[in-house]
Amino acid sequence: MSRRITLFRAAALAFGFSFLYAPIALLVAYSFNASRLVAVWGGWSLYWYGELIRNDKFGAAAWNSLRIAVMAATVALVLGTCAGFAIERFARFRGRAVFGFMLLAPLVVPEVILGLSLLLLFVASQAWLGWPANRGLVTVTIAHATFGCCFVAVLVRAQLAGFDRALEEAALDLGARPFGVLWRVTLPGIGPALVSGWLLAFTLSLDDLVVASFVSGPSATTLPMAVYSSVRIGVTPEINALATVFLGVVILLVTLAFSLIARQERRRLAGR
């Protein structure tokens, strides 16, 4: 009986992983397809990677996406960290419940509504203040930082909830100034949340299509927008090659983040 249960669990686990990762594995494999037809295997080839490098449209869109993702993730990290500190450390200020609700609202609001509301905000700001002059990289960056900081705030708040404040009190007793305690004790202590939050905001910015479609202009085409416009007229192995490249970049960044978190965890355990 126990053997049957073990076999059933192994089969269910294999089915689950296959359901999740088999399409990604097929995408990576077909990015090396020599045939122009996606569904017809024509042998192994790197031809479409060369075509991807020579494609200026995808190159410009990828550069826009990377710039927007880096700037939006950095802004989201700063704003989200401040919001996480405000929610966790300043528990008795007026309007805390409203602030917490407004902070978490973008996490559950549909992207269509979020994109439309940000578009109306930029249009009204342009009419009243004359800024922004047009929709482009700045408006997309602001939009991505808006919902990215919410994810960062949740991670920072969770990390601060389990942080040992005795370390901060000990540093203050030893003569450290509050800013020095924040910079040398608190922020390194919540480093895993900061790294994870930045990477999460970076990934969400790279992945976003709906919000960027509302707030971008002709000069700020992101990579998901370029891929979507190309897929509408037919999928080519060039798209598979592009997805494989970005998949490799994301895996590299996630591996780096896990290695940093594991290293800090080993240092923490060694210091006990």
Side-chain angles (χ1 to χ4, degrees):
M1 186 66 180
S2 60
R3 184 179 180 182
R4 291 182 179 179
I5 295 177
T6 303
L7 291 176
F8 174 77
R9 290 177 178 175
L13 183 63
F15 175 78
F17 277 109
S18 299
F19 182 80
L20 290 174
Y21 296 109
I24 298 177
L26 289 175
L27 182 146
V28 173
Y30 273 92
S31 68
F32 299 98
N33 187 10
S35 175
R36 178 176 292 273
L37 300 177
V38 178
V40 178
W41 181 255
W44 297 95
S45 175
L46 295 175
Y47 172 78
W48 295 106
Y49 285 90
E51 288 295 312
L52 177 63
I53 295 174
R54 290 186 290 269
N55 193 319
D56 295 333
K57 174 185 175 181
F58 285 144
W63 177 238
N64 287 338
S65 290
L66 287 175
R67 285 191 295 171
I68 291 172
V70 170
M71 293 186 294
T74 304
V75 174
L77 178 64
V78 175
L79 297 179
T81 302
C82 294
F85 268 93
I87 290 294
E88 181 62 28
R89 292 295 177 86
F90 304 98
R92 294 183 177 274
F93 64 89
R94 183 176 299 178
R96 179 177 181 272
V98 177
F99 178 73
F101 173 78
M102 295 177 64
L103 183 65
L104 298 179
L107 300 179
V108 295
V109 172
E111 290 184 333
V112 174
I113 298 177
L114 182 61
L116 180 59
S117 63
L118 289 170
L119 173 61
L120 295 177
L121 172 64
F122 291 136
V123 171
S125 177
Q126 183 179 9
W128 296 341
L129 305 176
W131 183 91
N134 50 30
R135 293 188 295 275
L137 294 179
V138 175
T139 55
V140 179
T141 301
I142 294 174
H144 287 181
T146 299
F147 62 79
C149 68
C150 303
F151 291 91
V152 176
V154 171
L155 293 174
V156 170
R157 181 184 180 184
Q159 189 77 30
L160 285 173
F163 185 75
D164 187 6
R165 301 198 65 176
L167 299 175
E168 297 175 334
E169 296 174 356
L172 291 172
D173 292 340
L174 293 174
R177 296 183 177 274
F179 182 78
V181 174
L182 175 66
W183 186 256
R184 297 183 178 182
V185 178
T186 308
L187 292 182
I190 62 172
L194 299 179
V195 174
S196 302
W198 190 93
L199 287 174
L200 182 58
F202 179 84
T203 304
L204 290 173
S205 177
L206 282 181
D207 182 64
D208 177 67
L209 172 63
V210 178
V211 175
S213 299
F214 279 95
V215 300
S216 65
S219 61
T221 301
T222 62
L223 187 59
M225 295 170 61
V227 171
Y228 179 72
S229 62
S230 298
V231 168
R232 294 178 66 182
I233 60 176
V235 181
T236 64
E238 188 177 2
I239 302 295
N240 295 340
L242 178 63
T244 301
V245 170
F246 265 81
L247 182 64
V249 172
V250 171
I251 291 175
L252 179 63
L253 292 175
V254 172
T255 303
L256 178 62
F258 271 100
S259 63
L260 292 175
I261 293 173
R263 182 183 303 175
Q264 186 167 7
E265 186 68 17
R266 288 195 298 267
R267 289 180 179 177
R268 186 180 66 83
L269 294 177
R272 288 185 174 179

